[in-house]
């Protein structure tokens, strides 16, 4: 709509954990890549950092959002649980609406860009 | 709605400037306090940091969002322009909608809190 690359970021802060575009992208990368190590590599992120982000995310939940298998190639496969998939879907739905809600603001910003 | 203190943060990133709750709160503090120095003090922020944040924000606009007067007490008075007031209003409207849009996500997070 605007000629400017406006990005709308939605972040939820809950009991010390924050859930935003970075962690959601990482979960989506795990879905695509099938393991935490491949997901990290695909995002140009160190394995330890990816593991840490997922671990931090997990602390906000009473059930696993991701399950990992030992013994595969590299560092084992990883799969999202239904809860993990729900998290992606609900976040992306809220984000899409937030982008739409921000249109009047983005329009004003585009109009007054230097 | 939930028993957990979930906070929804909406951040707009546009041409290197980011507009989020921190800068908006600072603008609102300037409205209330009438000067940048008082606004900073009310937020427990150093004057230089407040000035820097407002300067960064200003770079996203072709017109002033804030006008300052020399020669008053302390570091002079500051007033928001109509553009600055619009920015607050449009941001707060988008944010309120984003909070509402996030309800299904917040509900799920509350249900699965550890």
């Amino acid at each position: 709509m605007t000629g400017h690359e406006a990005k709308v970021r939605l972040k939820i802060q809950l009991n010390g954990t924050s859930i935003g575009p970075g962690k959601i992208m990482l979960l989506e990368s795990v879905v695509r890549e099938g393991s935490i190590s491949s997901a990290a590599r695909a995002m140009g992120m160190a394995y330890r950092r990816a593991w840490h982000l997922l671990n931090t995310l997990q602390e906000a939940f009473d059930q696993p959002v991701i399950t990992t298998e030992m013994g595969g190639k590299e560092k084992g496969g990883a799969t999202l649980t239904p809860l993990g998939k729900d998290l992606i879907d609900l976040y992306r739905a809220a984000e899409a609406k937030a982008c739409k809600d921000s249109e009047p603001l983005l329009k004003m910003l585009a109009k007054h860009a230097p």
Side-chain angles (χ1 to χ4, degrees), chain A:
Chain A
M1 187 185 62
T2 73
H4 305 272
E5 289 178 60
K7 261 199 260 178
V8 176
R9 291 167 64 94
L10 182 70
K11 190 177 261 190
I12 312 294
Q13 287 182 312
L14 183 74
N15 302 331
T17 307
S18 98
I19 301 174
K23 292 197 185 94
I24 298 295
M25 271 174 66
L26 181 56
L27 286 180
E28 289 169 336
S29 185
V30 169
V31 172
R32 272 194 308 274
E33 304 291 334
S35 77
I36 297 174
S37 57
S38 304
R41 197 162 40 237
M43 291 180 72
M45 187 185 279
Y47 173 78
R48 288 171 72 96
R49 173 150 174 77
W51 187 89
H52 172 74
L53 288 173
L54 293 171
N55 199 47
T56 306
L57 179 65
Q58 184 58 66
E59 283 168 7
F61 293 92
D62 61 346
Q63 293 170 27
V65 291
I66 191 167
T67 52
T68 52
E69 282 164 24
M70 299 289 290
K73 277 184 291 182
E74 303 184 353
K75 292 197 171 67
T79 317
L80 261 61
T81 62
L83 181 63
K85 289 175 192 162
D86 271 3
L87 175 59
I88 293 178
D89 292 346
L90 289 170
Y91 176 85
R92 288 300 185 197
E95 186 193 39
K97 285 183 190 162
C99 287
K100 199 139 180 55
D101 295 336
S102 300
E103 276 182 10
L105 174 60
L106 299 178
K107 250 188 198 166
M108 181 274 244
L109 291 170
K111 191 175 152 195
H112 287 287

